[in-house]
Amino acid sequence: MVGVFEVGAVPFNPDGWGPPDSAAAASTTTTLPLHVPFAPFSLSDKLGRIADFTRSFPSSNANPSNRPSSRHGAGNPADSPFDFSHDVDAFPLANPEDDSSFRLVDAKPPPRPKFGPKWRFNQNRPQLPQRRDEEVEARKREAEKERARRDRLYNLNRSNQNQQRREAAIFKSSVDIQPEWNMLDQIPFSTFSKLSFSVPEPEDLLICGALEYYDRSFDRITPKNERRLERFKNRNFFKVTTTDDPVIRRLANEDKATVFATDTILSTLMCAPRSVYSWDIVIQRVGNKLFFDKRDGSQLDLLSVHETSQEPLPEAKDDINCAYSLSVEAAYINQNFSQQVLVRDGNKVSFDEPNPFANEGDEVASVAYRYRRWKLDNDMHLVARCEVQSVVDVNNQKSFLTLNALNEFDPKYSGVDWRQKLETQRGAVLATELKNNANKLAKWTAQAILANADLMKLGYVSRVHPRDHFNHVILGVVGYKPRDFAAQINLNTANMWGIVKSVVDLCMKLNEGKYVLVKDPSKPQVRIYEVPADAFENDYVEEPLPEEEQVQPPTEDAEDGEANGTTNDVEDKEIEAQN
């Protein structure tokens, strides 16, 4: 049987909407239970829980101002769980003035972890309340910073991909390729990197020149007690090519070897995969002998600066920080540094023969030439002229030293200020130099290994002021064993000799004549060209120079120096580069 639900009598209000105003009419016609408070509400009131039995209420003697208002009918709402006015799970207020009368149902603070850095360091630090809109703004700012960082890294990666080898847009070929030259072969550096060849221990054929002792006090130099770099204008430095060396000519006539070169040329060839700038080596095949030469005024006489860095150098030739000006400055610094760190008391170590390039009475730089011979094959030997710049007594034995200097021209290009980092973070400074000058440091290491030097000294020389390229100071000198340093910079001696052996085998298959091996300025590869017999001679003009770059005619003394094979014009080249 289905029950019947009785609605009851509903009074009719002829004057408006809702129950009639007459209390008598309401009491006689209503069917609602008696003594139940009626709580009228409007659209601006909150609607929430009917009852909250979890709330703790203040005692009766508390401040009555803290009690909730009893505006909703009979009884005291503070004494009853039936409270409609203090719930938070409600609709938004239409009237903001009533916001102060509401509070959280659960006012307990969130649990805090007992362990962790925040609890350990901030447990006694008062935390100020923060509005939600401030937290949202802070998160937006952090998100904006993160987005900007990702965009910056993305653009940087794109620029590195598009500019992996920046010589394509900046640098030109070291030699002007003539139309009549015949290209015979091109070898990518990826092929060089896979080569390997082991050579037996070489033998010393002859040692010429004289060496001065190294001054150990330079090992104690720091940026706080720097020393001014001196100039040695009266000492002669020689950069003589292979075929102009009288000792090599004599050894060739005596059939001491088949291949002849210098340590500068060999190191350039050995470290070719690390090179970025263009360079060239002249190869002459005479009978069954092979001579590796350099051109007069070749880039091999200078030192590259910032070659393997991704930070581009200024392209303007009148800028003191352009590639050519920095190369001249680096060569000038190396020459003066190699003579300043010596004990100049007249005590020298002389060898079998005097300096083969000096005239009687000339003041020459401290240098010894070691003519050494390596066995490349059963019927093929290589003789190279190697250089050492100083000597030092270690356990009553004389040890040979090579002296080279790294130069800082502007900290904003390298990102490391030597005066601040060299004493405390020397490893970081060296790592930066290995990144920016990988080819130059590898060539110095290869030359030290070829000369069988016991120690290679690296000096840190900086400008007195970033815009002054004439005055420099020595900030420190560090010594390394060549083979240990080669392992540190990942320079494999077997790979070095593998490159030399492959180039020698390639050239021995050529006919007699003159060739040039050129490093491509835009690609990691080398090309070999067949050139006329009179190429690179004094009467062979490759390309007319502009008037502002033409060198003035040398004086009689300079002509005599050139006839003797002397090249003491690094400082003149630096002045010429500025003019």
Side-chain angles (χ1 to χ4, degrees):
M1 180 176 180
V2 179
V4 178
F5 176 74
E6 295 182 358
V7 177
V10 178
F12 175 73
N13 185 4
D15 298 330
W17 182 87
D21 296 335
S22 174
S27 61
T28 57
T29 58
T30 183
T31 58
L32 296 175
L34 298 177
H35 308 295
V36 175
F38 175 71
F41 65 93
S42 64
L43 295 178
S44 62
D45 291 336
K46 292 184 178 181
L47 298 179
R49 298 182 180 90
I50 296 178
D52 185 5
F53 296 95
T54 64
R55 187 183 305 177
S56 60
F57 301 99
S59 59
S60 59
N61 58 355
N63 187 4
S65 61
N66 295 333
R67 295 182 181 180
S69 61
S70 58
R71 60 189 176 98
H72 294 304
N76 187 2
D79 298 333
S80 172
F82 296 88
D83 186 4
F84 302 93
S85 62
H86 303 285
D87 296 304
V88 296
D89 296 336
F91 298 100
L93 279 176
N95 186 5
E97 296 179 356
D98 297 336
D99 189 23
S100 59
S101 63
F102 296 95
R103 59 178 177 173
L104 292 173
V105 174
D106 188 4
K108 293 187 297 183
R112 187 170 53 183
K114 295 183 179 181
F115 303 100
K118 292 184 178 180
W119 177 83
R120 186 169 61 250
F121 296 110
N122 299 331
Q123 55 183 348
N124 296 326
R125 184 178 300 174
Q127 298 292 334
L128 297 177
Q130 189 177 26
R131 294 182 57 184
R132 181 171 300 179
D133 55 350
E134 295 179 359
E135 295 178 357
V136 172
E137 292 297 329
R139 285 196 294 268
K140 287 183 179 180
R141 287 194 296 269
E142 293 296 330
E144 183 67 21
K145 290 181 181 179
E146 181 67 18
R147 186 190 63 80
R149 187 186 68 85
R150 288 197 303 267
D151 292 345
R152 187 167 58 252
L153 292 177
Y154 174 74
N155 295 330
L156 181 61
N157 292 333
R158 286 194 62 185
S159 62
N160 289 341
Q161 292 174 2
N162 297 333
Q163 196 182 2
Q164 290 182 356
R165 306 190 69 85
R166 55 189 175 89
E167 73 274 17
I170 300 178
F171 303 109
K172 298 180 180 179
S173 177
S174 61
V175 61
D176 185 32
I177 307 299
Q178 299 297 321
E180 63 270 17
W181 293 2
N182 181 26
M183 189 185 74
L184 302 179
D185 197 1
Q186 57 183 10
I187 309 172
F189 285 165
S190 58
T191 304
F192 280 165
S193 303
K194 302 174 184 178
L195 300 175
S196 179
F197 181 74
S198 299
V199 294
E201 286 296 322
E203 57 177 328
D204 284 330
L205 300 181
L206 188 64
I207 303 180
C208 304
L211 292 176
E212 298 181 31
Y213 284 91
Y214 175 73
D215 189 355
R216 296 178 183 268
S217 64
F218 282 86
D219 292 336
R220 297 187 293 271
I221 291 181
T222 61
K224 296 180 180 179
N225 61 341
E226 59 188 27
R227 291 197 192 182
R228 196 68 172 257
L229 183 67
E230 302 176 12
R231 299 188 180 187
F232 296 85
K233 297 182 178 180
N234 298 327
R235 292 199 171 191
N236 295 321
F237 300 86
F238 306 95
K239 303 292 183 182
V240 184
T241 187
T242 307
T243 53
D244 292 341
D245 189 335
V247 178
I248 287 183
R249 289 185 177 182
R250 188 176 68 198
L251 296 175
N253 292 332
E254 296 174 358
D255 289 332
K256 294 293 185 179
T258 308
V259 185
F260 299 88
T262 64
D263 58 349
T264 303
I265 297 174
L266 283 183
S267 63
T268 302
L269 197 58
M270 290 175 168
C271 304
R274 300 178 183 234
S275 62
V276 175
Y277 295 168
S278 179
W279 47 264
D280 59 275
I281 298 174
V282 180
I283 303 171
Q284 299 189 59
R285 173 76 187 275
V286 182
N288 65 335
K289 292 182 174 55
L290 207 60
F291 295 88
F292 289 87
D293 281 307
K294 66 177 183 63
R295 295 180 298 105
D296 291 336
S298 171
Q299 288 288 337
L300 300 185
D301 292 334
L302 303 178
L303 296 173
S304 63
V305 179
H306 240 53
E307 180 178 359
T308 55
S309 172
Q310 294 297 334
E311 184 72 21
L313 296 174
E315 299 184 30
K317 288 189 176 181
D318 57 347
D319 197 309
I320 63 173
N321 292 333
C322 71
Y324 178 75
S325 297
L326 290 176
S327 297
V328 176
E329 180 184 354
Y332 159 79
I333 290 174
N334 269 262
Q335 287 185 356
N336 291 288
F337 172 80
S338 65
Q339 304 306 305
Q340 183 174 351
V341 297
L342 304 176
V343 180
R344 299 186 295 275
D345 57 357
N347 187 15
K348 295 184 179 181
V349 178
S350 300
F351 296 98
D352 305 336
E353 296 183 8
N355 193 311
F357 315 118
N359 294 328
E360 188 70 25
D362 287 347
E363 183 180 359
V364 298
S366 171
V367 63
Y369 301 103
R370 305 184 68 177
Y371 294 87
R372 314 187 76 204
R373 180 170 63 180
W374 288 266
K375 183 178 180 181
L376 300 181
D377 205 344
N378 293 331
D379 54 352
M380 184 186 301
H381 291 77
L382 181 145
V383 168
R385 184 190 72 217
C386 308
E387 297 183 13
V388 290
Q389 287 79 33
S390 182
V391 66
V392 65
D393 284 332
V394 178
N395 298 328
N396 295 326
Q397 292 183 354
K398 290 181 172 55
S399 300
F400 293 116
L401 276 68
T402 59
L403 305 174
N404 301 104
L406 296 165
N407 59 304
E408 180 189 39
F409 58 97
D410 197 338
K412 74 177 183 179
Y413 285 94
S414 61
V416 178
D417 191 350
W418 288 4
R419 286 175 170 82
Q420 298 180 0
K421 303 293 185 180
L422 189 58
E423 191 170 7
T424 58
Q425 300 181 16
R426 181 172 295 173
V429 175
L430 180 60
T432 304
E433 290 301 307
L434 287 173
K435 181 186 69 173
N436 297 334
N437 299 283
N439 186 38
K440 179 170 66 175
L441 284 166
K443 289 168 64 176
W444 286 347
T445 309
Q447 292 174 16
I449 294 176
L450 290 173
N452 196 24
D454 301 285
L455 203 63
M456 53 182 295
K457 291 286 185 178
L458 291 181
Y460 293 89
V461 180
S462 178
R463 292 177 180 175
V464 175
H465 188 272
R467 300 304 301 174
D468 182 8
H469 64 291
F470 287 108
N471 299 304
H472 303 82
V473 290
I474 303 175
L475 302 179
V477 181
V478 187
Y480 301 94
K481 293 184 178 180
R483 295 192 178 275
D484 295 344
F485 192 74
Q488 181 178 349
I489 65 176
N490 197 22
L491 185 64
N492 190 352
T493 55
N495 176 250
M496 291 161 42
W497 282 109
I499 297 174
V500 174
K501 182 66 165 57
S502 65
V503 174
V504 169
D505 292 342
L506 175 63
C507 296
M508 292 301 292
K509 299 177 183 179
L510 303 176
N511 299 325
E512 289 191 40
K514 182 179 287 188
Y515 306 88
V516 60
L517 188 70
V518 183
K519 193 269 174 186
D520 193 304
S522 60
K523 298 179 181 178
Q525 64 182 11
V526 293
R527 292 190 176 100
I528 183 168
Y529 295 89
E530 183 180 5
V531 299
D534 58 349
F536 316 120
E537 300 295 338
N538 294 332
D539 57 347
Y540 181 81
V541 180
E542 300 178 20
E543 182 181 12
L545 294 175
E547 293 182 359
E548 62 272 10
E549 297 184 13
Q550 290 183 0
V551 183
Q552 298 297 327
T555 61
E556 295 181 357
D557 296 337
E559 291 179 355
D560 295 338
E562 290 181 1
N564 295 327
T566 62
T567 58
N568 192 17
D569 57 349
V570 172
E571 188 174 358
D572 297 335
K573 286 185 178 180
E574 185 175 6
I575 297 174
E576 175 192 345
Q578 301 310 313
N579 295 333

